Amino acid sequence: MAFVSRLTSDEVVASFVTTELTALKSPVSNDRLDPLQQSAAEALKGATALVGAVQDTISSEARSSLFANIQYVVTGKMTAREAVATAMALNES
């Protein structure tokens, strides 16, 4: 058990974490971060929960529709709102 405790200690985890969220009691401070990574770390400091990716929680039919419609959003043939609404309607059926 001491081995697991050591590997999951704030000190050890902080040595390889950059901007990822962790379950550490103390926020990770890393002097090796570039400005973008520092900004990401600052933004995540106040996070109290994470929400999983939507594609992991919807039906396969809705997921397929959402991914297929992304090309139409990019080309301007469909709005993002329409793509999401279509996927939501398929998910409810």
Side-chain angles (χ1 to χ4, degrees), residues 14-54:
S15 69
F16 60 86
V17 168
T18 54
T19 60
E20 302 85 5
L21 288 177
T22 69
L24 299 178
K25 292 179 184 174
S26 306
V28 173
S29 174
N30 191 327
D31 298 332
R32 301 169 301 173
L33 302 181
D34 64 38
L36 181 60
Q37 291 171 319
Q38 289 173 356
S39 177
E42 284 298 316
L44 294 174
K45 272 186 184 176
T48 56
L50 293 177
V51 176
V54 70

Side-chain angles (χ1 to χ4, degrees), residues 45-67:
K45 272 186 184 176
T48 56
L50 293 177
V51 176
V54 70
Q55 68 262 23
D56 295 341
T57 61
I58 60 177
S59 69
S60 61
E61 185 180 19
R63 181 175 40 254
S64 295
S65 170
L66 185 60
F67 288 155

